[in-house]
Short mmCIF file of all heavy atoms in Angstrom, two decimals:
data_model
loop_
_atom_site.label_atom_id
_atom_site.label_comp_id
_atom_site.label_asym_id
_atom_site.label_seq_id
_atom_site.Cartn_x
_atom_site.Cartn_y
_atom_site.Cartn_z
N LYS A 270 8.93 29.07 3.32
CA LYS A 270 8.42 30.24 2.54
C LYS A 270 6.92 30.15 2.35
O LYS A 270 6.38 30.59 1.34
CB LYS A 270 9.14 30.33 1.18
CG LYS A 270 10.62 30.38 1.22
CD LYS A 270 11.14 31.51 2.08
CE LYS A 270 12.66 31.54 2.11
NZ LYS A 270 13.18 31.96 3.38
N GLY A 271 6.26 29.50 3.25
CA GLY A 271 4.79 29.42 3.23
C GLY A 271 4.31 28.26 4.06
O GLY A 271 5.12 27.52 4.63
N THR A 272 3.04 28.16 4.23
CA THR A 272 2.52 27.05 5.06
C THR A 272 2.65 25.69 4.37
O THR A 272 2.69 25.61 3.15
CB THR A 272 1.02 27.27 5.40
OG1 THR A 272 0.28 27.47 4.19
CG2 THR A 272 0.83 28.48 6.34
N ILE A 273 2.79 24.65 5.20
CA ILE A 273 2.91 23.32 4.69
C ILE A 273 1.87 22.40 5.33
O ILE A 273 1.39 22.69 6.46
CB ILE A 273 4.37 22.74 4.95
CG1 ILE A 273 4.63 22.66 6.42
CG2 ILE A 273 5.37 23.52 4.20
CD1 ILE A 273 5.89 21.89 6.78
N ALA A 274 1.53 21.35 4.64
CA ALA A 274 0.56 20.37 5.15
C ALA A 274 1.25 19.59 6.26
O ALA A 274 2.45 19.34 6.21
CB ALA A 274 0.08 19.49 4.06
N HIS A 275 0.44 19.15 7.21
CA HIS A 275 0.94 18.20 8.23
C HIS A 275 1.35 16.92 7.47
O HIS A 275 0.63 16.44 6.57
CB HIS A 275 -0.15 17.86 9.23
CG HIS A 275 -0.78 19.07 9.90
ND1 HIS A 275 -1.67 19.91 9.28
CD2 HIS A 275 -0.65 19.47 11.21
CE1 HIS A 275 -2.05 20.79 10.15
NE2 HIS A 275 -1.45 20.56 11.33
N GLY A 276 2.39 16.28 7.96
CA GLY A 276 2.72 14.98 7.39
C GLY A 276 1.61 13.99 7.56
O GLY A 276 1.31 13.19 6.62
N TYR A 277 0.98 14.04 8.70
CA TYR A 277 -0.13 13.08 8.92
C TYR A 277 -1.36 13.39 8.09
O TYR A 277 -2.18 12.50 7.85
CB TYR A 277 -0.43 12.96 10.43
CG TYR A 277 0.63 12.30 11.20
CD1 TYR A 277 1.28 12.89 12.27
CD2 TYR A 277 1.05 11.03 10.84
CE1 TYR A 277 2.28 12.30 12.93
CE2 TYR A 277 2.10 10.38 11.51
CZ TYR A 277 2.67 11.00 12.61
OH TYR A 277 3.70 10.32 13.29
N LEU A 278 -1.49 14.63 7.63
CA LEU A 278 -2.59 14.94 6.71
C LEU A 278 -2.31 14.21 5.38
O LEU A 278 -3.18 13.60 4.82
CB LEU A 278 -2.70 16.45 6.49
CG LEU A 278 -3.58 16.94 5.36
CD1 LEU A 278 -5.00 16.38 5.46
CD2 LEU A 278 -3.61 18.44 5.22
N THR A 279 -1.05 14.32 4.92
CA THR A 279 -0.74 13.63 3.72
C THR A 279 -0.99 12.10 3.86
O THR A 279 -1.59 11.49 3.01
CB THR A 279 0.79 13.83 3.35
OG1 THR A 279 1.07 15.24 3.34
CG2 THR A 279 1.16 13.18 2.07
N LEU A 280 -0.56 11.54 4.96
CA LEU A 280 -0.78 10.13 5.18
C LEU A 280 -2.25 9.79 5.28
O LEU A 280 -2.66 8.72 4.82
CB LEU A 280 -0.04 9.71 6.50
CG LEU A 280 -0.05 8.24 6.86
CD1 LEU A 280 0.65 7.43 5.75
CD2 LEU A 280 0.62 8.02 8.21
N SER A 281 -3.06 10.72 5.77
CA SER A 281 -4.49 10.47 5.94
C SER A 281 -5.24 10.41 4.61
O SER A 281 -6.41 10.01 4.51
CB SER A 281 -5.15 11.49 6.87
OG SER A 281 -5.28 12.73 6.21
N LEU A 282 -4.59 10.77 3.51
CA LEU A 282 -5.16 10.64 2.21
C LEU A 282 -5.13 9.17 1.67
O LEU A 282 -5.69 8.85 0.69
CB LEU A 282 -4.34 11.52 1.19
CG LEU A 282 -4.39 12.99 1.39
CD1 LEU A 282 -3.43 13.69 0.44
CD2 LEU A 282 -5.78 13.56 1.29
N THR A 283 -4.56 8.30 2.47
CA THR A 283 -4.45 6.86 2.08
C THR A 283 -5.71 6.22 1.61
O THR A 283 -5.70 5.60 0.51
CB THR A 283 -3.77 6.07 3.22
OG1 THR A 283 -2.43 6.56 3.43
CG2 THR A 283 -3.73 4.62 2.95
N PRO A 284 -6.81 6.31 2.32
CA PRO A 284 -8.04 5.60 1.82
C PRO A 284 -8.48 6.16 0.42
O PRO A 284 -8.88 5.42 -0.46
CB PRO A 284 -9.08 5.95 2.88
CG PRO A 284 -8.34 6.15 4.11
CD PRO A 284 -7.03 6.85 3.63
#
Side-chain angles (χ1 to χ4, degrees):
K270 308 301 182 216
T272 53
I273 61 170
H275 303 75
Y277 290 123
L278 169 57
T279 305
L280 186 60
S281 74
L282 296 172
T283 295

